[in-house]
Amino acid sequence: MLLGHDDGYFRDKNMRVTVVYNHFGPNCNQRMPRIRYGYAHVVNNLYREWSQYAIGGGSMNPSVKSEANLFIAPKSRNNKEITWRKDSIGNKESWKFYSVGDIFENRASFIRATPPICS
């Protein structure tokens, strides 16, 4: 689930998307979703045993609010990180990821690189 046309499509800066009530996995690889631009509210989803990452923050400074999701990390893999960050604007911490009331199992975790966003 890729949200955003491409890095050069600036109209996506105003994109606001809600991803709700999905069951991802087991054996999903990535992009659940991946956000290039704008704001995504990811709420009440079940994530099971991803390969690379569950939520990808994109190349053009997106904001993600993860709320009330259940993240069950893969038992047999070392990858417990939920997020992935791509940097094409020169700042690895240019996107914002905020977790509210998420549940993390099997040592699932995310790296909080920036302060919470308001919405």
Side-chain angles (χ1 to χ4, degrees):
M1 183 184 309
L2 178 59
L3 304 175
H5 183 266
D6 64 38
D7 288 354
Y9 194 72
F10 298 109
R11 289 183 183 177
D12 286 343
K13 285 184 179 182
N14 298 320
M15 178 176 52
R16 296 179 64 82
V17 176
T18 299
V19 178
V20 64
Y21 302 131
N22 295 286
H23 179 175
F24 297 107
N27 301 319
C28 287
N29 188 30
Q30 60 180 324
R31 296 183 178 183
M32 303 172 276
R34 178 174 179 253
I35 305 97
R36 285 188 198 269
Y37 273 115
Y39 171 81
H41 186 195
V42 182
V43 61
N44 287 334
N45 296 290
L46 171 60
Y47 292 88
R48 294 179 52 216
E49 302 181 10
W50 54 90
S51 296
Q52 291 184 332
Y53 63 87
I55 299 173
S59 38
M60 301 308 290
N61 197 23
S63 296
V64 180
K65 181 177 182 182
S66 176
E67 183 175 11
N69 295 295
L70 173 57
F71 295 97
I72 305 171
K75 291 180 184 177
S76 60
R77 292 186 204 106
N78 291 330
N79 185 17
K80 308 290 185 177
E81 173 63 30
I82 293 164
T83 60
W84 175 79
R85 294 163 170 82
K86 179 180 180 192
D87 174 37
S88 66
I89 61 174
N91 181 2
K92 282 212 177 257
E93 296 183 4
S94 64
W95 75 293
K96 299 160 191 72
F97 183 89
Y98 182 41
S99 174
V100 177
D102 287 326
I103 299 170
F104 306 97
E105 294 186 1
N106 293 342
R107 300 186 325 168
S109 64
F110 72 93
I111 298 168
R112 186 176 185 162
T114 56
I117 57 173
C118 298
S119 68

